[in-house]
Amino acid sequence: MSDQLIEFSIEAGIATIAFNRPDRRNAMSDEMRAEFSGALETVSRDKAIKALVLTGRGNAFCAGGDISGMKRRLEAPQGEVAFNGWSRQQGVHHVQSLLLGLSKPTIAAVNGAAAGLGADIALACDFVMANERSKFTWSYIKRGLIPDGGGLYFLPRRVGLARAKELIFTGRVVEADEALALGIVDRKVTATELLLVAQAWAAELAQGSATALALGKKILNETFEHSAHDIFNLGSQAQAICYTSAEHREAVAAFLAQSSAKA
Protein backbone atom coordinates (compact mmCIF):
# COMPACT_ATOMS: atom_id res chain seq x y z
CA MET A 1 0.00 0.00 0.00
CA SER A 2 1.22 3.50 -0.80
CA ASP A 3 2.37 5.70 2.09
CA GLN A 4 0.48 8.59 0.55
CA LEU A 5 -2.86 9.42 2.11
CA ILE A 6 -4.08 10.64 -1.28
CA GLU A 7 -3.28 8.80 -4.51
CA PHE A 8 -3.27 11.10 -7.53
CA SER A 9 -3.01 10.06 -11.17
CA ILE A 10 -3.72 11.55 -14.59
CA GLU A 11 -4.56 9.60 -17.73
CA ALA A 12 -5.72 11.06 -21.04
CA GLY A 13 -6.66 14.33 -19.35
CA ILE A 14 -8.72 12.70 -16.59
CA ALA A 15 -7.41 13.10 -13.04
CA THR A 16 -8.26 10.46 -10.43
CA ILE A 17 -7.91 11.21 -6.73
CA ALA A 18 -8.26 8.26 -4.35
CA PHE A 19 -8.46 8.53 -0.57
CA ASN A 20 -5.87 6.07 0.70
CA ARG A 21 -6.46 5.19 4.35
CA PRO A 22 -8.33 1.91 3.81
CA ASP A 23 -7.43 0.68 7.31
CA ARG A 24 -9.33 3.71 8.68
CA ARG A 25 -12.10 3.53 6.07
CA ASN A 26 -10.54 6.65 4.53
CA ALA A 27 -11.49 8.86 7.49
CA MET A 28 -10.27 12.40 6.86
CA SER A 29 -7.32 13.36 9.06
CA ASP A 30 -5.67 16.79 9.01
CA GLU A 31 -2.74 15.33 7.08
CA MET A 32 -5.03 13.69 4.54
CA ARG A 33 -6.95 16.94 4.13
CA ALA A 34 -3.71 18.79 3.38
CA GLU A 35 -2.78 16.26 0.66
CA PHE A 36 -6.31 16.42 -0.74
CA SER A 37 -6.15 20.21 -0.88
CA GLY A 38 -2.84 20.08 -2.73
CA ALA A 39 -4.19 17.61 -5.28
CA LEU A 40 -7.27 19.78 -5.90
CA GLU A 41 -5.03 22.82 -6.40
CA THR A 42 -3.10 20.89 -9.04
CA VAL A 43 -6.31 19.88 -10.83
CA SER A 44 -7.45 23.48 -10.78
CA ARG A 45 -4.18 24.87 -12.21
CA ASP A 46 -3.33 22.22 -14.82
CA LYS A 47 -5.05 23.07 -18.10
CA ALA A 48 -4.23 19.61 -19.44
CA ILE A 49 -6.60 18.12 -16.84
CA LYS A 50 -10.14 18.18 -18.23
CA ALA A 51 -12.12 16.39 -15.51
CA LEU A 52 -11.79 14.78 -12.08
CA VAL A 53 -12.91 11.44 -10.62
CA LEU A 54 -12.84 11.08 -6.83
CA THR A 55 -12.94 7.67 -5.13
CA GLY A 56 -11.62 5.70 -2.16
CA ARG A 57 -9.32 2.73 -1.70
CA GLY A 58 -10.59 -0.35 0.07
CA ASN A 59 -14.22 -0.86 1.07
CA ALA A 60 -15.15 2.73 1.93
CA PHE A 61 -15.31 6.04 0.12
CA CYS A 62 -14.78 8.17 3.23
CA ALA A 63 -16.05 7.45 6.74
CA GLY A 64 -16.03 11.12 7.72
CA GLY A 65 -13.77 12.95 10.13
CA ASP A 66 -10.95 11.12 11.86
CA ILE A 67 -11.87 10.07 15.41
CA SER A 68 -8.44 11.13 16.68
CA GLY A 69 -9.32 14.72 15.82
CA MET A 70 -12.52 14.43 17.85
CA LYS A 71 -10.51 13.05 20.77
CA ARG A 72 -8.07 15.98 20.65
CA ARG A 73 -11.01 18.39 20.63
CA LEU A 74 -12.39 16.89 23.85
CA GLU A 75 -8.98 16.98 25.52
CA ALA A 76 -8.24 20.63 24.66
CA PRO A 77 -8.52 23.27 27.41
CA GLN A 78 -12.05 24.64 27.58
CA GLY A 79 -10.94 28.12 26.60
CA GLU A 80 -9.42 26.83 23.35
CA VAL A 81 -12.23 24.57 22.13
CA ALA A 82 -14.20 27.20 20.23
CA PHE A 83 -11.24 28.75 18.43
CA ASN A 84 -9.71 25.36 17.63
CA GLY A 85 -13.06 24.29 16.17
CA TRP A 86 -13.36 27.49 14.16
CA SER A 87 -9.85 27.01 12.78
CA ARG A 88 -10.59 23.43 11.79
CA GLN A 89 -13.77 24.53 10.05
CA GLN A 90 -11.78 26.95 7.92
CA GLY A 91 -9.69 24.04 6.64
CA VAL A 92 -12.74 21.88 5.92
CA HIS A 93 -14.52 24.67 4.10
CA HIS A 94 -11.43 25.61 2.11
CA VAL A 95 -11.17 22.10 0.67
CA GLN A 96 -14.91 21.82 0.04
CA SER A 97 -14.87 25.18 -1.72
CA LEU A 98 -11.96 24.04 -3.89
CA LEU A 99 -13.88 20.93 -4.91
CA LEU A 100 -17.17 22.74 -5.51
CA GLY A 101 -15.48 25.55 -7.43
CA LEU A 102 -13.38 23.44 -9.80
CA SER A 103 -14.03 24.73 -13.32
CA LYS A 104 -14.05 21.17 -14.66
CA PRO A 105 -16.55 18.29 -14.43
CA THR A 106 -16.20 16.25 -11.24
CA ILE A 107 -17.56 12.79 -10.43
CA ALA A 108 -17.60 11.05 -7.05
CA ALA A 109 -17.21 7.30 -7.63
CA VAL A 110 -18.53 6.16 -4.24
CA ASN A 111 -17.14 2.68 -3.74
CA GLY A 112 -18.55 2.02 -0.26
CA ALA A 113 -19.66 3.98 2.78
CA ALA A 114 -19.80 7.77 2.52
CA ALA A 115 -20.53 8.97 6.04
CA GLY A 116 -20.68 12.43 7.54
CA LEU A 117 -18.01 14.54 5.88
CA GLY A 118 -17.56 11.73 3.33
CA ALA A 119 -21.16 12.16 2.19
CA ASP A 120 -20.67 15.92 1.98
CA ILE A 121 -17.53 15.46 -0.12
CA ALA A 122 -19.42 13.25 -2.57
CA LEU A 123 -22.18 15.84 -2.98
CA ALA A 124 -19.65 18.63 -3.58
CA CYS A 125 -18.95 16.90 -6.90
CA ASP A 126 -21.08 17.57 -9.98
CA PHE A 127 -22.18 13.96 -10.22
CA VAL A 128 -22.28 10.93 -7.92
CA MET A 129 -21.90 7.30 -9.00
CA ALA A 130 -22.45 4.30 -6.74
CA ASN A 131 -22.14 0.54 -6.72
CA GLU A 132 -24.16 -2.08 -4.88
CA ARG A 133 -22.02 -1.61 -1.73
CA SER A 134 -22.40 2.16 -1.57
CA LYS A 135 -24.26 3.73 1.32
CA PHE A 136 -24.68 7.28 2.54
CA THR A 137 -25.35 8.73 5.97
CA TRP A 138 -25.34 12.27 7.34
CA SER A 139 -24.56 10.86 10.77
CA TYR A 140 -23.49 14.11 12.44
CA ILE A 141 -26.56 14.12 14.71
CA LYS A 142 -25.27 10.95 16.37
CA ARG A 143 -22.21 12.92 17.52
CA GLY A 144 -24.25 15.92 18.61
CA LEU A 145 -23.21 17.91 15.52
CA ILE A 146 -24.62 19.42 12.34
CA PRO A 147 -23.21 18.79 8.83
CA ASP A 148 -20.11 20.95 8.47
CA GLY A 149 -18.90 19.95 5.01
CA GLY A 150 -21.71 21.56 3.04
CA GLY A 151 -24.43 18.98 3.62
CA LEU A 152 -26.81 21.71 4.75
CA TYR A 153 -26.33 23.28 1.31
CA PHE A 154 -25.87 20.29 -0.99
CA LEU A 155 -28.43 17.82 0.32
CA PRO A 156 -31.59 20.00 -0.01
CA ARG A 157 -30.60 20.74 -3.60
CA ARG A 158 -30.43 17.01 -4.29
CA VAL A 159 -33.47 15.69 -2.45
CA GLY A 160 -35.61 18.67 -1.43
CA LEU A 161 -35.87 20.43 1.92
CA ALA A 162 -38.18 18.04 3.80
CA ARG A 163 -36.24 14.92 2.81
CA ALA A 164 -32.92 16.60 3.64
CA LYS A 165 -34.26 17.45 7.11
CA GLU A 166 -35.33 13.83 7.63
CA LEU A 167 -31.93 12.45 6.60
CA ILE A 168 -29.99 14.97 8.69
CA PHE A 169 -32.26 14.79 11.77
CA THR A 170 -32.13 10.97 11.88
CA GLY A 171 -28.66 10.29 10.48
CA ARG A 172 -30.03 7.06 9.05
CA VAL A 173 -28.20 4.99 6.44
CA VAL A 174 -29.33 5.30 2.81
CA GLU A 175 -28.47 2.24 0.74
CA ALA A 176 -27.49 2.55 -2.93
CA ASP A 177 -30.89 1.84 -4.48
CA GLU A 178 -32.68 4.34 -2.27
CA ALA A 179 -29.94 6.88 -2.88
CA LEU A 180 -30.51 6.49 -6.62
CA ALA A 181 -34.27 6.87 -6.22
CA LEU A 182 -33.89 9.98 -4.05
CA GLY A 183 -31.44 11.65 -6.39
CA ILE A 184 -28.42 11.47 -4.09
CA VAL A 185 -26.85 9.23 -6.72
CA ASP A 186 -26.99 9.84 -10.46
CA ARG A 187 -25.89 6.42 -11.73
CA LYS A 188 -25.39 2.98 -10.20
CA VAL A 189 -23.10 0.31 -11.67
CA THR A 190 -21.37 -2.81 -10.35
CA ALA A 191 -18.33 -2.56 -8.11
CA THR A 192 -16.03 -3.90 -10.79
CA GLU A 193 -17.25 -1.31 -13.30
CA LEU A 194 -17.41 1.71 -11.02
CA LEU A 195 -14.06 3.42 -11.52
CA LEU A 196 -13.75 2.65 -15.23
CA VAL A 197 -17.30 3.82 -15.96
CA ALA A 198 -16.75 6.97 -13.90
CA GLN A 199 -13.55 7.76 -15.78
CA ALA A 200 -15.26 7.13 -19.13
CA TRP A 201 -18.15 9.41 -18.13
CA ALA A 202 -15.67 12.08 -17.04
CA ALA A 203 -13.98 11.88 -20.45
CA GLU A 204 -17.37 12.25 -22.15
CA LEU A 205 -18.28 15.28 -20.04
CA ALA A 206 -14.92 16.90 -20.75
CA GLN A 207 -15.22 16.80 -24.54
CA GLY A 208 -16.87 20.22 -24.78
CA SER A 209 -15.29 23.66 -24.69
CA ALA A 210 -13.32 24.11 -21.47
CA THR A 211 -14.31 27.79 -21.48
CA ALA A 212 -18.02 27.09 -21.85
CA LEU A 213 -17.90 24.31 -19.25
CA ALA A 214 -16.16 26.50 -16.68
CA LEU A 215 -18.48 29.47 -17.15
CA GLY A 216 -21.64 27.37 -17.35
CA LYS A 217 -20.74 25.42 -14.22
CA LYS A 218 -20.07 28.56 -12.21
CA ILE A 219 -23.46 30.02 -13.12
CA LEU A 220 -25.31 26.74 -12.54
CA ASN A 221 -23.78 26.47 -9.06
CA GLU A 222 -25.31 29.86 -8.21
CA THR A 223 -28.69 29.37 -9.91
CA PHE A 224 -30.76 28.92 -6.74
CA GLU A 225 -29.33 32.05 -5.15
CA HIS A 226 -30.26 34.42 -8.01
CA SER A 227 -33.32 35.65 -9.86
CA ALA A 228 -33.90 34.85 -13.52
CA HIS A 229 -32.85 38.42 -14.34
CA ASP A 230 -29.54 37.89 -12.51
CA ILE A 231 -28.90 34.65 -14.40
CA PHE A 232 -29.65 36.40 -17.71
CA ASN A 233 -27.03 39.02 -16.84
CA LEU A 234 -24.45 36.46 -15.74
CA GLY A 235 -25.16 34.44 -18.88
CA SER A 236 -24.70 37.48 -21.10
CA GLN A 237 -21.30 38.19 -19.63
CA ALA A 238 -20.26 34.55 -19.91
CA GLN A 239 -21.49 34.28 -23.49
CA ALA A 240 -19.50 37.35 -24.48
CA ILE A 241 -16.38 35.57 -23.21
CA CYS A 242 -17.36 32.40 -25.09
CA TYR A 243 -17.65 34.41 -28.32
CA THR A 244 -13.94 35.22 -28.08
CA SER A 245 -12.75 31.72 -27.17
CA ALA A 246 -10.63 29.62 -29.51
CA GLU A 247 -13.06 26.71 -29.08
CA HIS A 248 -16.01 28.77 -30.34
CA ARG A 249 -14.11 30.22 -33.30
CA GLU A 250 -12.81 26.79 -34.33
CA ALA A 251 -16.25 25.18 -33.98
CA VAL A 252 -17.96 27.88 -36.07
CA ALA A 253 -15.24 27.76 -38.74
CA ALA A 254 -15.62 23.97 -38.98
CA PHE A 255 -19.41 24.25 -39.18
CA LEU A 256 -19.24 26.88 -41.93
CA ALA A 257 -16.71 24.82 -43.88
CA GLN A 258 -18.97 21.77 -43.62
CA SER A 259 -21.98 23.79 -44.76
CA SER A 260 -20.06 25.18 -47.75
CA ALA A 261 -18.99 21.68 -48.77
CA LYS A 262 -22.60 20.51 -48.79
CA ALA A 263 -23.82 23.50 -50.82
Side-chain angles (χ1 to χ4, degrees), residues 44-216:
S44 179
R45 290 193 306 266
D46 191 341
K47 293 183 178 180
I49 296 175
K50 303 300 182 183
L52 168 68
V53 173
L54 183 61
T55 193
R57 295 289 183 240
N59 296 321
F61 176 75
C62 175
D66 188 13
I67 193 69
S68 62
M70 300 179 193
K71 184 173 184 292
R72 286 195 300 272
R73 184 162 62 248
L74 292 178
E75 293 173 346
Q78 186 174 1
E80 298 177 11
V81 171
F83 183 75
N84 289 349
W86 179 86
S87 299
R88 176 186 173 278
Q89 289 292 293
Q90 303 314 296
V92 171
H93 296 158
H94 173 69
V95 174
Q96 289 295 86
S97 294
L98 283 175
L99 182 56
L100 176 65
L102 280 179
S103 60
K104 306 164 186 187
T106 57
I107 299 174
V110 179
N111 55 300
L117 179 61
D120 287 347
I121 289 171
L123 292 198
C125 293
D126 297 319
F127 304 100
V128 180
M129 291 188 64
N131 63 34
E132 62 273 15
R133 296 198 300 264
S134 302
K135 56 185 67 178
F136 300 80
T137 173
W138 283 266
S139 50
Y140 297 90
I141 195 73
K142 297 180 179 180
R143 305 290 180 268
L145 300 170
I146 63 171
D148 63 356
L152 296 171
Y153 179 88
F154 301 127
L155 193 56
R157 284 160 175 75
R158 281 270 177 175
V159 304
L161 182 58
R163 181 65 71 189
K165 287 179 179 179
E166 185 259 328
L167 294 176
I168 289 170
F169 292 174
T170 64
R172 70 178 179 85
V173 173
V174 182
E175 303 287 347
D177 285 337
E178 184 185 7
L180 182 63
L182 291 177
I184 295 169
V185 166
D186 301 297
R187 295 184 182 181
K188 179 190 169 191
V189 297
T190 66
T192 55
E193 296 176 308
L194 180 65
L195 187 56
L196 288 177
V197 172
Q199 290 167 334
W201 190 16
E204 178 186 351
L205 292 167
Q207 288 178 1
S209 160
T211 302
L213 280 169
L215 294 171

Side-chain angles (χ1 to χ4, degrees), residues 26-38:
N26 297 320
M28 185 68 67
S29 64
D30 291 343
E31 296 78 12
M32 184 174 170
R33 183 178 296 107
E35 288 189 27
F36 187 28
S37 178

